[in-house]
Amino acid sequence: SGVVSFGWNTGCLNSAQESIKPWIIESYHHRTGITLSHYVLTFIWSTTIAIFAIGGAIGVFAASPVSRRYGRRGDLLRANLLGIIGANFMAVIKIYSFI
């Protein structure tokens, strides 16, 4: 079940690449004045996907101690709080990346 979920989530992230890659190119060009090559862009995207997988592994190992300490409900509330904080960071980065 976990493997299917991971594969599905990775697929969802890859389906967003067509809108994220142009944003990476525009942001990098705006900040440095240099246009990214296809190889550097692929490296950045691959690193993004790898970090996503590493974050999943950290979450798996942290789930049991957090669940034991706070219970299932507390664990879910904290996970949702982290999701809201992450969404806010992404919104702020998107807004300020072109300033």
Side-chain angles (χ1 to χ4, degrees):
S1 165
V3 174
V4 173
S5 176
F6 173 75
W8 185 80
N9 286 326
T10 303
C12 286
L13 189 57
N14 280 332
S15 67
Q17 75 179 343
E18 296 307 317
S19 60
I20 295 174
K21 280 184 173 181
W23 177 77
I24 292 171
I25 293 169
E26 291 172 25
S27 297
Y28 192 83
H29 182 69
H30 179 74
R31 291 179 182 181
T32 65
I34 300 170
T35 302
L36 286 176
S37 71
H38 172 71
Y39 299 108
V40 174
L41 179 61
T42 301
F43 176 76
I44 291 171
W45 184 250
S46 301
T47 304
T48 302
I49 299 298
I51 289 171
F52 176 78
I54 291 168
I58 291 169
V60 165
F61 290 118
S64 180
V66 171
S67 181
R68 271 188 252 125
R69 181 171 181 171
Y70 300 110
R72 287 184 185 182
R73 183 175 178 201
D75 189 16
L76 289 171
L77 289 171
R78 282 170 177 73
N80 287 331
L81 180 64
L82 285 175
I84 291 169
I85 290 169
N88 284 323
F89 278 143
M90 289 190 304
V92 168
I93 287 170
K94 181 74 173 169
I95 292 168
Y96 289 108
S97 66
F98 292 108
I99 294 178

